[in-house]
Amino acid sequence: QSWTVVPDFTHHAHSASLSAVAVNNRYVVTGSRDETIQIYDMKKKIEHGALLQHNGTITCLEFYGTAHLLSGAEDGLICIWNTKRWECLKSIKAHKGHVTSLSIHPSGKLALSVGTDKTLRTWNLVEGRSAFIKNLKQNAHIIKWSPDGERYVTVIINKVDIYKLDTASITGTITTEKRISSLRFITDSVLAIAGDDEIIRFYSCDSQKCLCEFKAHENRIKDIYSFEREGQHVIVTASSDGYIKMWNLDLNKIKDVPSLLCEVNTKARLTCLAVWLDRASEMKENSDKAATSSQAIEDEKSSIVRKQKVCWTDESDKTAEQKRKITPEKQKLKAPLQKKKKKRNSSA
């Protein structure tokens, strides 16, 4: 099976470089040094609006399912957004310095964040308040939960500390030669780590040993992602050399170097990456292939809804004036709708 990568939707999104990107099953959101978050509807392939709550570079974005988005920025705030109406439900002053990274627990009840105030903070998302603060010796720039939520990792320059959830204590440390720019849990216990060199390394969280390493690019690797499709595990990498590459990984032969599926030269200086999968089309293909009872199709739909964590890539720009026109329009729309509802209620 040969893979090709072709541009499908391109937009001049921000007036400065992109600093963060996230996706759920419908939307792509991009954060930038221009202090705004842009929203794109991938089903319709259109620009959907802008979020203007933060002051300072947007440093991290993460969806939880289809209903919520969390954003963090250099203003020290974490904002919780409802993705139905794109309202800011809560704005939390999370860190005294910048928020550098955040990660939502698979249950959706907890989030972790790190910032330039040398703290790791646990957030109770049910109540929207701080639950626990841990002081770190240095500023961490990445934090991430494992898929099963049993452990989490922090990255401080070139060092990964692995924590167990039940004890909140470090169970192991992985150290690399160069600064780490991105990491991804490939399984609950295997980490893919990329950094300021051309090499991707897979590490075991249990033994902290390097299972495999291979040269992926000609320049430093900026971001790494992974997804599963029809039983195939795919790693996607983006580099300062402008290339996006997709690799086929055999989880049963984790020590073998992944095979290159395809590559594309974007001719851009890539800064971040995520992968958006069109689950609806995939579902239709699968249901067309299958011989089928309606129950089988229902099961398939529900399994696709459950697999919501997917992502997409972008490195775009757009002027500040264009986007500022979008949000006020939406606010104008809300007020008349609310008035109509009140009239109906009073006449009833």
Side-chain angles (χ1 to χ4, degrees), residues 23 54 111 121 126 138 164 181 195 203 217 220 268 273 312:
V23 312
H54 288 286
R121 295 177 186 243
V126 179
Q138 290 172 280
K164 270 190 88 176
S181 58
Y203 282 89
H217 290 271
R220 68 180 61 175
L273 167 91
W312 171 84

Side-chain angles (χ1 to χ4, degrees), residues 18 40 59 76-77 80 102 114 116 140 190 249 251 295-296 301:
L18 268 74
Y40 297 94
T59 53
L77 296 179
I80 302 170
L102 62 83
V114 287
T116 54
V190 176
L249 173 65
L251 289 176
Q295 184 57 47
K301 281 183 186 169

Side-chain angles (χ1 to χ4, degrees), residues 15-56:
S15 58
S17 62
L18 268 74
S19 47
V21 59
V23 312
N24 68 1
N25 65 339
R26 175 157 194 170
Y27 295 104
V28 169
V29 291
T30 57
S32 166
R33 294 181 185 280
D34 67 8
E35 308 184 355
T36 70
I37 299 166
Q38 294 289 336
I39 311 160
Y40 297 94
D41 184 329
M42 291 308 292
K43 297 277 173 75
K44 297 177 181 174
K45 300 285 194 298
I46 57 165
E47 184 181 29
H48 190 72
L51 306 176
L52 310 174
Q53 191 81 10
H54 288 286
N55 293 309

Side-chain angles (χ1 to χ4, degrees), residues 10-187:
T10 305
H11 199 275
H12 197 71
H14 295 273
S15 58
S17 62
L18 268 74
S19 47
V21 59
V23 312
N24 68 1
N25 65 339
R26 175 157 194 170
Y27 295 104
V28 169
V29 291
T30 57
S32 166
R33 294 181 185 280
D34 67 8
E35 308 184 355
T36 70
I37 299 166
Q38 294 289 336
I39 311 160
Y40 297 94
D41 184 329
M42 291 308 292
K43 297 277 173 75
K44 297 177 181 174
K45 300 285 194 298
I46 57 165
E47 184 181 29
H48 190 72
L51 306 176
L52 310 174
Q53 191 81 10
H54 288 286
N55 293 309
T57 297
I58 311 300
T59 53
C60 42
L61 294 164
E62 187 167 330
F63 278 104
Y64 182 73
T66 56
H68 295 96
L69 170 73
L70 265 65
S71 61
E74 286 186 353
D75 55 9
L77 296 179
I78 288 176
C79 293
I80 302 170
W81 303 89
N82 171 307
T83 60
K84 296 288 181 278
R85 298 181 61 159
W86 293 104
E87 293 169 316
C88 183
L89 302 174
K90 196 165 183 72
S91 181
I92 303 164
K93 181 63 179 170
H95 290 271
K96 287 174 186 166
H98 305 164
V99 179
T100 50
S101 182
L102 62 83
S103 185
I104 305 167
H105 188 267
S107 69
K109 293 176 181 175
L110 284 178
L112 296 172
S113 68
V114 287
T116 54
D117 55 2
K118 296 182 184 173
T119 63
L120 185 167
R121 295 177 186 243
T122 308
W123 302 96
N124 178 331
L125 292 181
V126 179
E127 296 173 16
R129 61 175 179 81
S130 175
F132 183 72
I133 301 170
K134 180 180 175 63
N135 291 313
L136 303 172
K137 288 178 183 171
Q138 290 172 280
N139 292 326
H141 63 279
I142 300 173
I143 190 155
K144 206 169 285 283
W145 284 104
S146 63
D148 62 4
E150 293 296 312
R151 61 181 119 206
Y152 56 91
V153 296
T154 60
V155 179
I156 298 169
I157 309 170
N158 65 332
K159 188 178 74 166
V160 182
D161 285 327
I162 303 157
Y163 290 81
K164 270 190 88 176
L165 170 62
D166 51 7
T167 59
S169 59
I170 296 173
T171 60
T173 299
I174 295 164
T175 307
T176 62
E177 282 185 27
K178 300 282 177 96
R179 183 182 184 275
I180 296 165
S181 58
S182 179
L183 59 72
R184 178 86 178 165
F185 275 95
I186 301 300
T187 68

Side-chain angles (χ1 to χ4, degrees), residues 176-224:
T176 62
E177 282 185 27
K178 300 282 177 96
R179 183 182 184 275
I180 296 165
S181 58
S182 179
L183 59 72
R184 178 86 178 165
F185 275 95
I186 301 300
T187 68
D188 293 324
S189 61
V190 176
L191 272 174
I193 296 175
D196 285 358
D197 58 14
E198 310 88 43
I199 296 167
I200 302 275
R201 295 176 177 88
F202 299 145
Y203 282 89
S204 162
C205 289
D206 300 319
S207 68
Q208 292 90 56
K209 287 186 175 150
C210 183
L211 304 172
C212 171
E213 64 174 59
F214 63 99
K215 183 179 175 181
H217 290 271
E218 296 301 320
N219 207 322
R220 68 180 61 175
I221 296 159
K222 296 298 289 186
D223 215 341
I224 181 168

